[in-house]
Amino acid sequence: MTVSIVLLVLVVGGALVFEYINGFHDAANAIATVVSTKVLTPRQAVVYGAALEFTGALTGTHVAKTIGAGIVDPSTITLHVIFCALCAAIIWNLITWFFGLPSSSSHALIGGLIGAAVVNAGWGCVRFLELVDKVIAPMFMAPVIGFVTGLIVMAILLRIFYKANPDKVNRRFRRCQIFSAGLMALSHGSNDAQKTMGIITLALLAGGIVKHNAQGSFDIPIYVILSCATVMSLGVMSGGWKIIRTMGSKIIKLKPINGFAAETSAASIILLASHFGVPLSTTHVISTAIMGVGTTYKAHAVKWGVIGNIVWAWVLTIPICIMISGTIYFLYRTFIIN
């Protein structure tokens, strides 16, 4: 087995490890509210969420193609670059998981890819217009849209049911929340699983296993789609309980009607982004949707100190992963490649 094949195997294996970590790291996005409102037990929620995450991962490849060819010039991406990018993303995901912070796995991956590619080929390899359009602008817009949508949906529900008995309303929404949690899991799979599909396909292109199509682009092989969908589902089933506690109770105390409003709002936004190939942070959207829902009661109902820590993790993810990945690639090139 040649060195390049060994490296390709390591890169694909590393990508699948990242996908698994993404599953348990971001499991909270799909199931935190349905667990915190006690609509489903943790075991029921992770099995239910995993099944719909798998289904969502099969719904398209637009996001995968954005990650694979939209942010960095593919001609400058080598197996070494991808390997270092994955290492950086995995390190950051484990750090934020350890502290229970719901950061963005997609932004960690994008930052890692940029950092290693820049050290390899210079800043000219970064497609800044696509970066701003597909990553930076949504990074700032998605939380605002999530907050406003969650606030509006919750305000509408409160207006409709303001005369109803609160206990009866929450009993009804316990059933509705099973649907909304499933929709959230489906949307998460449709967006997040595709990011690793793009990375693995990039690696297969760099290794000569996959070729560009007639249009100069590339197609995602079916075996890549199925493997990423399966590994993410297994990751979801392993839990991620620290982040689930943060998302489900530390931001605001949730009731079934709140969970339904937040999940429905976030899932709608994420599915729309997946359709247009935008690698959105599902964490940003569901977190701010929960904030918006909480604000319909009173602003102090939201625990803003916790929110501050989460926001710092959001802001720092891309630059920190650029630095981690760039450093890893520099050391890797200095001591291993050379």
Side-chain angles (χ1 to χ4, degrees):
M1 186 178 287
T2 65
V3 173
S4 61
I5 294 176
V6 172
L7 182 57
L8 178 60
V9 171
L10 286 174
V11 168
V12 172
L16 292 175
V17 169
F18 171 80
E19 188 78 308
Y20 181 82
I21 293 172
N22 188 11
F24 77 69
H25 185 278
D26 288 3
N29 296 341
I31 63 177
T33 54
V34 80
V35 171
S36 67
T37 56
K38 299 181 180 179
V39 172
L40 295 176
T41 66
R43 184 181 296 276
Q44 290 171 335
V46 294
V47 173
Y48 178 56
L52 285 162
E53 292 269 358
F54 180 89
T55 304
L58 305 179
T59 58
T61 58
H62 294 88
V63 176
K65 291 181 179 180
T66 297
I67 293 290
I71 308 300
V72 177
D73 183 355
S75 65
T76 65
I77 296 177
T78 65
L79 289 173
H80 304 291
V81 167
I82 298 171
F83 180 73
C84 294
L86 287 167
C87 288
I90 289 171
I91 289 169
W92 181 244
N93 270 359
L94 290 175
I95 290 172
T96 52
W97 168 80
F98 179 80
F99 289 104
L101 294 174
S103 66
S104 170
S105 296
S106 57
H107 289 169
L109 188 59
I110 290 167
L113 197 60
I114 292 172
V118 166
V119 175
N120 178 51
W123 285 101
C125 70
V126 181
R127 294 174 171 173
F128 286 100
L129 290 179
E130 286 82 355
L131 178 64
V132 171
D133 184 49
K134 297 286 189 179
V135 180
I136 304 301
M139 184 174 73
F140 289 100
M141 292 173 59
V144 175
I145 295 171
F147 181 90
V148 172
T149 305
L151 188 150
I152 291 172
V153 170
M154 190 65 223
I156 291 171
L157 291 176
L158 289 175
R159 180 63 180 172
I160 293 172
F161 295 103
Y162 77 101
K163 288 185 178 180
N165 181 286
D167 292 333
K168 289 183 178 179
V169 169
N170 279 305
R171 280 198 296 271
R172 291 176 183 174
F173 274 96
R174 284 174 67 86
R175 292 188 291 270
C176 294
Q177 204 188 352
I178 294 175
F179 164 78
S180 63
L183 188 64
M184 184 65 212
L186 184 78
S187 67
H188 180 260
S190 75
N191 202 278
D192 273 44
Q194 290 190 43
K195 296 157 189 172
T196 307
M197 295 177 199
I199 287 295
I200 291 178
T201 305
L202 265 182
L204 295 175
L205 281 167
I209 305 299
V210 171
K211 305 296 183 183
H212 287 92
N213 57 30
Q215 291 74 37
S217 182
F218 58 84
D219 298 312
I220 310 296
I222 186 64
Y223 57 85
V224 172
I225 296 173
L226 290 173
S227 61
C228 288
T230 301
V231 170
M232 171 164 275
S233 298
L234 292 173
V236 171
M237 290 184 70
S238 71
W241 307 113
K242 288 187 177 183
I243 297 173
I244 286 174
R245 283 195 294 270
T246 298
M247 296 284 287
S249 62
K250 290 187 179 180
I251 294 177
I252 182 176
K253 183 68 174 177
L254 293 173
K255 296 179 180 179
I257 190 172
N258 308 137
F260 174 82
E263 289 164 346
T264 304
S265 302
S268 301
I269 296 167
I270 295 164
L271 286 171
L272 187 64
S274 297
H275 176 73
F276 288 104
V278 177
L280 202 64
S281 169
T282 54
T283 306
H284 292 189
V285 179
I286 186 62
S287 298
T288 51
I290 292 172
M291 295 176 211
V293 166
T295 306
T296 58
Y297 293 98
K298 290 181 180 179
H300 63 73
V302 178
K303 299 174 183 177
W304 296 104
V306 176
I307 299 302
N309 293 334
I310 294 173
V311 170
W312 273 113
W314 293 352
V315 172
L316 294 174
T317 292
I318 290 179
I320 284 181
C321 287
I322 288 174
M323 289 189 290
I324 294 173
S325 180
T327 303
I328 292 172
Y329 185 82
F330 176 79
L331 296 173
Y332 182 81
R333 183 177 61 184
T334 301
F335 296 105
I336 297 178
I337 299 177
N338 294 335

